[in-house]
Structures are given as C-alpha cells and as structure tokens.
Amino acid sequence: MEKSTFEQMGGTYRQEGDYFLPNLTVPESVPAGIWGQRRRQYLQKHRKAFYNALLLSGKLDTHLAEIDLQAEETFSQLVKQMAAQEGITEQLKANNQMRWVNEYLQDPSGRNRLY
C-alpha cells in the first residue's frame, strides 16, 4: 500500500476501533508576558489579518515572546536611565537603603506611567 503524504512527512497513525487517527501534537507555546499580551490585544483589534496569519502559521507565540523580550529590555533600560537622572544609584542604595526605597517609590518622573 502506498504511503500517504502525512506518512511521507514522518507522521504516524494510531488505531482506535476501526479507524486510524493521526498522532498529532500541539507545539510547545512560550508564555507571553505583559508586553506580549498587549501586543496580542493590539493585533487582534487593529491588525486582524496579520494576527490571523501569525496564528494560522503557528508563529504567533514566538512573535509575542520576541516582542515581550524586546519591550522588557527597553523598559528596563528606560527605568535605569530615569533613576540615574534622579540620582537614585546603587551607591545610595548601599549607603541609605530607606532613602533609596523612598526615592525610587516616589515616582516623580512617572516611571510607573510607562506601563
């Protein structure tokens, strides 16, 4: 008997009663953080065709993970720059931890508004 295209590509079947069902697995998905979730919402609302193309090709999770990583790095860099501008340094943290926490949490420049 000739092999099906699925078998030629390395697929296998299992028998359940009188039927042969393909052994399919769902690829592992990478969890998306806050920035990946926001990207997903944006794509679903404003870029529906692109979202569906990524979803149907199985590349959506990878795309969201990449966006999340890039955004997290950018956010971290921005927070460090803002802290340096305000004089919140590691030296201050080492010398006076309570003042460092107070300065960091006061948020005069809008660090938390970046979210």
Side-chain angles (χ1 to χ4, degrees), residues 54-66:
L54 287 172
L55 182 63
L56 293 173
S57 67
K59 297 177 182 176
L60 179 63
D61 289 337
T62 305
H63 173 75
L64 296 177
E66 289 173 5

Side-chain angles (χ1 to χ4, degrees), residues 21-63:
L21 302 174
N23 294 321
L24 301 175
T25 59
V26 178
E28 288 286 323
S29 65
V30 180
I34 184 72
W35 305 111
Q37 292 172 15
R38 288 181 179 185
R39 174 69 171 172
R40 179 193 318 264
Q41 290 172 352
Y42 168 78
L43 291 175
Q44 285 175 328
K45 189 173 182 180
H46 301 287
R47 304 281 310 272
K48 292 177 185 175
F50 184 60
Y51 173 79
N52 285 327
L54 287 172
L55 182 63
L56 293 173
S57 67
K59 297 177 182 176
L60 179 63
D61 289 337
T62 305
H63 173 75

Side-chain angles (χ1 to χ4, degrees), residues 87-105:
I88 304 171
T89 62
E90 290 298 317
Q91 184 65 32
L92 176 63
K93 184 178 178 181
N95 294 339
N96 190 345
Q97 289 182 356
M98 291 306 291
R99 181 168 172 240
W100 180 85
V101 168
N102 188 35
E103 292 285 334
Y104 200 79
L105 293 178

Side-chain angles (χ1 to χ4, degrees), residues 74-114:
T74 302
F75 179 75
S76 178
Q77 187 177 26
L78 283 171
V79 169
K80 286 178 185 177
Q81 288 174 356
M82 294 170 90
Q85 287 176 348
E86 296 166 13
I88 304 171
T89 62
E90 290 298 317
Q91 184 65 32
L92 176 63
K93 184 178 178 181
N95 294 339
N96 190 345
Q97 289 182 356
M98 291 306 291
R99 181 168 172 240
W100 180 85
V101 168
N102 188 35
E103 292 285 334
Y104 200 79
L105 293 178
Q106 278 185 353
D107 192 38
S109 63
R111 259 190 309 276
N112 289 332
R113 284 180 277 166
L114 292 174

